[in-house]
Amino acid sequence: MMSPISQMKRPEHAPYPKLTTKQVEENILPQLNQWALSNGLIMADKDNISKANVAPTTVFPTSVPAKVFENAKTLQKTYNQLYAQVSNSDWLMNETKKLVHSDPDFTGKLYAMAQKCDSQQTLKLGLFRSDYLIDQKSQQIKQVEFNTVSVSFAGLSTKVGEMHSFLNSLGAYDSSDEMKMFYEGMGELPVSESSVFMPRGLARAFTMYQSMNSETKKEKAVIAFIVEPNETNLFDQKAVEFNLLRLYGIKSIRLTFEEALKDLEYSKFDDKKRMVHKKTGKEIAVVYYRTGYTTGDYFNESCWKSREFLENSYAIKAPTVDIQLAGSKKVQQLLTQDETLNKFIDDEATKNELVKTFVKIYPLDDSKLGQEGKKLALACTSNNAKYVLKPQREGGGNNIYKDEIPKFLKTIDEKEWDSYILMEMIDAKPSSENYLVRDGKLTKEPVISELGIYGTILFDKESIRSNEYAGSLLRTKLSSSNEGGVVAGFGTVDSMCLV
């Protein structure tokens, strides 16, 4: 799904179209909104999910060095395998146990669930995304985080790339009356394959489940999407769901945690705990979580009971609880240490490539490195503010930045500090040329962009059945905003112009 690569020499940075705000409002916004509404680049209205609005997006694609993108793509399968190994290890459970006392209501409950899980299903499915910022000094990708649960925007990422390509082909970016393709010869406008490749990962797991259970007919099995009530990012998920049916003939059902507990049951015909939908009799081959990554997703005890019920079933889970725990910020911090990385990777060249993507991350425990981390955290001021404090949570809005760090730490018991990590902020170069469209409003301020690379891996303790790159995502936010989550209200979906 890549546009043709021009044989002309590319500039170091593709320029943005030189259009006035009035030209953007009059000539581009109507086309952008119409394309988005017609093609599903939309999100449900937060006040009324039966209505839809254009998803937060950029007007122009953003320049990304092609060599940086290729580097990130190449590393994804290595990262997939690394986190698969971590999830299979006793080391993970030993390290997670240390966090239980400081985060009993989330990490503690997930840890307890992992310890007592008795599922007979040995296969695990990882649907991952590794997020990066480009350090402006080294022009090297630096990892922001590695996501192992409920990774989003595989659907909308494809659509925003298609929209930018459409606007370019239409000539909407040309300031003259000739309506030429502005980006012709300047760079490649790739369209992310994520809306196809992520469903392929789910389909591989579905097919493997069938091969393990020959009596399970394809038409009698489904993939269960476990979702939030009143999900605003519905249409991103629907793109994955529709492609499962269109490309593989695989049907899906959508259930909240409470609905799963009420509407599913274990089969009475064997002791494997095969899961069946009571109303339709459909067998659940794969459980795909699009929720469950933060405390708010478990808003009552039945949600926790439902997660345990699903975890103990024979369905293949994406992810299992141990895969989710492998994606914690504490694990990310520990993997930046040689003694930890050496447990999982023997090849020096491979290890060196991963290390290039690391920034300094400190624990806030009683170790020597932790003591150094505490001193740095308490010394953060407005004049010395190059760190971010991260909890063991996913989703936007959880982090504490810069000079707010010492203020926050003084509000909690020091015994709880070790549930946080202190991460050096990445010095990404802002751009001041793009427009953002959010809630129908057009803004033009300095922005920075975060590159996400998707990956899928199907594995058990003995072997890896498949391991693949699964597309890309670009999210762009105001440089004045610390957070970048689109659903959380901080960023926009974007696409790349490779230069």
Side-chain angles (χ1 to χ4, degrees):
M1 298 174 70
M2 295 285 189
S3 57
I5 301 175
S6 171
Q7 297 302 310
M8 297 173 63
K9 184 178 179 181
R10 295 177 179 176
E12 184 178 350
H13 299 286
Y16 287 97
K18 299 299 183 183
L19 299 171
T20 66
T21 299
K22 184 178 180 181
Q23 286 175 312
V24 172
E25 289 176 338
E26 292 181 354
N27 302 331
I28 296 182
L29 271 188
Q31 294 287 355
L32 184 154
N33 287 329
Q34 291 161 17
W35 192 98
L37 291 168
S38 299
N39 292 276
L41 181 53
I42 52 179
M43 296 180 72
D45 189 279
K46 61 184 178 182
D47 298 318
N48 184 353
I49 63 166
S50 64
K51 296 182 179 180
N53 302 310
V54 174
T57 184
T58 59
V59 172
F60 310 134
T62 294
S63 294
V64 173
K67 63 181 182 180
V68 167
F69 178 52
E70 289 302 321
N71 183 24
K73 283 177 62 177
T74 300
L75 281 174
Q76 188 59 37
K77 290 171 68 173
T78 301
Y79 265 118
N80 290 348
Q81 185 169 343
L82 171 61
Y83 275 83
Q85 289 176 280
V86 169
S87 77
N88 279 336
S89 68
D90 293 334
W91 173 87
L92 173 64
M93 290 298 109
N94 292 335
E95 293 299 330
T96 303
K97 186 177 181 180
K98 299 174 186 177
L99 300 175
V100 170
H101 76 282
S102 56
D103 187 22
D105 294 332
F106 190 68
T107 304
K109 287 188 175 182
L110 291 175
Y111 171 79
M113 195 181 300
Q115 289 295 98
K116 64 181 181 180
C117 174
D118 64 353
S119 175
Q120 295 184 47
Q121 180 57 261
T122 58
L123 278 177
K124 307 177 185 181
L125 177 61
L127 300 179
F128 299 151
R129 195 185 71 225
S130 186
D131 292 335
Y132 305 96
L133 287 170
I134 302 172
D135 177 71
Q136 63 175 318
K137 184 177 180 180
S138 66
Q139 284 296 292
Q140 167 70 44
I141 51 170
K142 296 295 182 180
Q143 190 178 65
V144 177
E145 62 184 354
F146 193 87
N147 304 279
T148 62
V149 58
S150 188
V151 296
S152 57
F153 296 115
L156 295 194
S157 180
T158 298
K159 293 184 182 297
V160 70
E162 290 173 341
M163 183 195 72
H164 285 150
S165 292
F166 161 76
L167 291 171
N168 185 51
S169 297
L170 190 67
Y173 294 142
D174 187 7
S175 59
S176 73
D177 295 330
E178 298 180 32
M179 303 289 282
K180 293 180 180 179
M181 287 195 294
F182 177 83
Y183 289 96
E184 188 171 27
M186 292 188 184
E188 182 182 352
L189 299 186
V191 175
S192 172
E193 308 95 331
S194 51
S195 67
V196 173
F197 288 173
M198 291 291 269
R200 183 171 67 184
L202 287 161
R204 290 192 191 283
F206 182 95
T207 302
M208 187 63 70
Y209 182 91
Q210 279 191 292
S211 69
M212 297 162 61
N213 304 275
S214 57
E215 66 275 24
T216 303
K217 304 294 184 183
K218 184 174 184 178
E219 62 274 12
K220 289 292 186 181
V222 294
I223 292 177
F225 283 54
I226 308 301
V227 300
E228 296 178 14
N230 303 315
E231 173 63 73
T232 58
N233 201 23
L234 168 67
F235 301 101
D236 174 56
Q237 299 170 12
K238 281 291 183 179
V240 175
E241 182 181 328
F242 294 157
N243 277 338
L244 278 168
L245 184 60
R246 181 176 68 89
L247 299 173
Y248 302 101
I250 298 173
K251 296 179 181 179
S252 306
I253 59 172
R254 295 174 62 84
L255 300 165
T256 64
F257 274 131
E258 290 184 310
E259 288 168 341
L261 195 61
K262 175 172 62 76
D263 297 343
L264 302 180
E265 64 182 357
Y266 296 148
S267 171
K268 301 177 178 64
F269 299 106
D270 60 38
D271 60 359
K272 287 184 176 181
K273 295 186 179 177
R274 295 190 202 186
M275 207 156 47
V276 176
H277 189 244
K278 295 176 185 177
K279 185 177 180 180
T280 64
K282 300 287 189 182
E283 186 171 343
I284 310 301
V286 179
V287 172
Y288 174 33
Y289 290 103
R290 290 302 302 260
T291 186
Y293 53 87
T294 193
T295 50
D297 296 335
Y298 302 91
F299 48 85
N300 60 33
E301 196 56 35
S302 69
C303 293
W304 284 109
K305 289 179 180 178
S306 179
R307 180 68 189 267
E308 186 171 347
F309 170 79
L310 295 166
E311 192 72 13
N312 285 325
S313 77
Y314 193 62
I316 297 172
K317 272 74 69 176
T320 56
V321 171
D322 51 13
I323 292 178
Q324 181 170 345
L325 290 170
S328 73
K329 301 300 185 292
K330 181 62 178 178
V331 169
Q332 182 186 5
Q333 178 263 310
L334 288 168
L335 287 173
T336 64
Q337 299 176 201
D338 281 347
E339 59 266 34
T340 302
L341 197 58
N342 289 337
K343 295 177 186 290
F344 302 103
I345 295 182
D346 297 323
D347 183 71
E348 284 298 317
T350 300
K351 187 172 70 172
N352 289 339
E353 288 302 308
L354 291 179
V355 169
K356 288 178 185 178
T357 69
F358 296 164
V359 295
K360 292 180 180 178
I361 309 179
Y362 299 87
L364 295 183
D365 55 23
D366 292 329
S367 66
K368 184 178 179 180
L369 191 62
Q371 293 296 332
E372 184 179 351
K374 288 179 181 181
K375 289 179 182 178
L376 289 169
L378 293 173
C380 285
T381 66
S382 57
N383 296 322
N384 177 30
K386 65 176 192 175
Y387 294 99
V388 54
L389 190 70
K390 294 186 175 185
Q392 310 302 317
R393 296 286 187 277
E394 301 300 329
N398 296 308
N399 299 334
I400 298 96
Y401 290 84
K402 304 176 181 178
D403 56 340
E404 293 297 319
I405 294 173
K407 299 175 188 177
F408 171 78
L409 289 176
K410 290 173 184 176
T411 67
I412 62 174
D413 193 309
E414 190 171 345
K415 293 179 181 178
E416 299 176 27
W417 289 14
D418 63 355
S419 64
Y420 293 82
I421 57 101
L422 187 74
M423 183 175 183
E424 185 178 50
M425 295 185 71
I426 301 162
D427 186 19
K429 183 179 181 180
S431 167
S432 58
E433 301 298 323
N434 213 336
Y435 288 88
L436 307 185
V437 182
R438 188 174 187 92
D439 297 326
K441 297 177 182 177
L442 188 70
T443 58
K444 186 180 184 182
E445 295 182 42
V447 295
I448 58 174
S449 299
E450 187 172 301
L451 173 63
I453 302 295
Y454 296 101
T456 66
I457 185 166
L458 183 64
F459 64 101
D460 56 23
K461 283 188 177 291
E462 280 70 47
S463 64
I464 293 174
R465 309 301 178 91
S466 68
N467 180 10
E468 297 177 315
Y469 158 77
S472 62
L473 168 70
L474 198 70
R475 288 175 297 170
T476 293
K477 64 166 188 172
L478 298 178
S479 61
S480 58
S481 171
N482 286 319
E483 299 281 1
V486 179
V487 175
F490 304 108
T492 63
V493 287
D494 194 356
S495 73
M496 293 177 282
C497 175
L498 294 180
V499 294

